Amino acid sequence: YVFNLCVMPEVRRQGVASALLTKAKMQATERGVRELYIHVEVENKAAERLYSHLGFVFEKEETAEDAAKHKRP
């Protein structure tokens, strides 16, 4: 589960987020993790495109109640 990924505006679109997520996915796989989850704000279309490009798939918008039930922030 990726809780938060932020890149400073002056270095966005330089591959920083892609590199971080690619490394995280690789290390998770090496440790036997089979699924990764990322929350993204609905308005953040750039992040949605990035995550899609990296192989993440949109499942659904999660309500606050659903997040609490699964003990996610």
Side-chain angles (χ1 to χ4, degrees):
Y1 176 77
V2 176
F3 175 70
N4 201 358
L5 175 64
C6 299
V7 176
M8 294 172 44
E10 59 269 23
V11 294
R12 288 183 185 155
R13 311 244 353 119
Q14 296 181 32
V16 174
S18 293
L20 289 169
L21 284 173
T22 298
K23 183 69 171 181
K25 286 175 66 174
M26 184 176 69
Q27 289 192 358
T29 300
E30 289 171 357
R31 288 168 173 75
V33 175
R34 296 182 303 147
E35 294 181 333
L36 294 175
Y37 296 91
I38 296 179
H39 284 170
V40 60
E41 292 183 9
V42 176
E43 302 84 21
N44 194 342
K45 299 302 179 191
E48 286 182 19
R49 286 189 300 274
L50 169 68
Y51 301 148
S52 178
H53 176 75
L54 292 174
F56 290 90
V57 178
F58 175 79
E59 288 188 358
K60 69 173 186 163
E61 288 186 33
E62 185 174 76
T63 66
E65 182 179 292
D66 285 341
K69 183 174 27 175
H70 297 290
K71 299 181 181 173
R72 293 192 281 260

